[in-house]
Amino acid sequence: MADSSQGVAGLKRKYATRLSEDLDHNAREEERIHAEFARLQQQLVALHEDRAFLVGLQRTLEVDVPVNPVTGETDRETRVSGVVAGQPKSSADGKTAVRRPALGDLARDYLQQRGQPCSAGEATAALAEAQPERRVKVEAVRTALETLVTKGLVRRGKQDKSVSYSVAGEGDPRCAPAQGGVAPPAAG
């Protein structure tokens, strides 16, 4: 019986040693994960602060661009004053971004290339087809065309309830095509 009580005692010591080693390993792993978690939390706080700063900066550069309060992102391109449409712009990180031409310029170019009056809906369809990456809405095109009418660059014609637009004076230098124009659809 002495052998069996020594065997049980030895087994208890072996299990106690193994248990102690496992607990030490668990404690070290817990410390490592807590440290990593704290580091990641600090990184997350820094990213949130950076986002808040960048959204604030973006808001100062943009005019009437809605910002999603959850993500801080806008649903329009970033607009920076002083940059010519279609021309590269260097950013602080050395990357070059290309600005898209204004919708009014595209609409005027389309009318000029088309050579005959068209409705805002027809212009919208042509612009949407020419620039599929851009969300073009008929209301925006109509507003752009009406702005061009106000500036004297486009003429508005009415027949019954239909409104059509055409380029004003062909010899007028204000009516020269802007960079990044839209070609009229092929006749077919």
Side-chain angles (χ1 to χ4, degrees):
M1 201 141 103
D3 285 334
S4 96
S5 64
Q6 283 180 349
V8 170
L11 193 56
K12 281 185 177 181
R13 272 193 310 273
K14 186 176 176 182
Y15 278 122
T17 304
R18 178 66 183 170
L19 188 58
S20 178
E21 289 171 355
D22 286 348
L23 285 171
D24 286 344
H25 175 72
N26 189 302
R28 284 191 306 271
E29 191 66 14
E30 215 175 298
E31 278 183 43
R32 184 188 67 78
I33 289 174
H34 276 296
E36 186 175 345
F37 181 72
R39 182 186 60 80
L40 290 172
Q41 270 188 315
Q42 288 174 341
Q43 192 176 359
L44 184 61
V45 167
L47 287 171
H48 281 297
E49 289 170 356
D50 288 349
R51 175 180 286 276
F53 171 76
L54 292 171
V55 166
L57 185 60
Q58 186 177 40
R59 285 182 181 155
T60 62
L61 297 175
E62 295 178 349
V63 179
D64 297 330
V65 177
V67 176
N68 182 326
V70 175
T71 64
E73 297 172 351
T74 62
D75 60 353
R76 293 189 202 166
E77 68 181 21
T78 301
R79 294 185 289 166
V80 180
S81 62
V83 178
V84 178
Q87 301 222 340
K89 171 186 89 72
S90 294
S91 62
D93 60 1
K95 295 181 180 174
T96 301
V98 176
R99 301 261 310 130
R100 296 189 301 189
L103 191 56
D105 292 339
L106 293 173
R108 185 187 69 223
D109 292 349
Y110 171 72
L111 290 174
Q112 198 164 30
Q113 292 168 358
R114 179 179 166 111
Q116 59 185 359
C118 72
S119 69
E122 291 169 318
T124 301
L127 294 173
E129 183 179 335
Q131 295 202 350
E133 73 282 350
R134 188 173 193 160
R135 289 182 288 165
V136 181
K137 295 185 178 179
V138 71
E139 296 85 2
V141 172
R142 186 176 294 115
T143 300
L145 289 168
E146 287 299 327
T147 301
L148 293 172
V149 168
T150 304
K151 292 179 179 180
L153 300 174
V154 170
R155 267 184 261 126
R156 178 189 329 109
K158 280 189 174 180
Q159 186 173 351
D160 295 329
K161 292 184 179 183
S162 298
V163 177
S164 62
Y165 300 91
S166 59
V167 176
E170 290 293 326
D172 190 341
R174 296 179 303 171
C175 296
Q179 189 173 9
V182 177

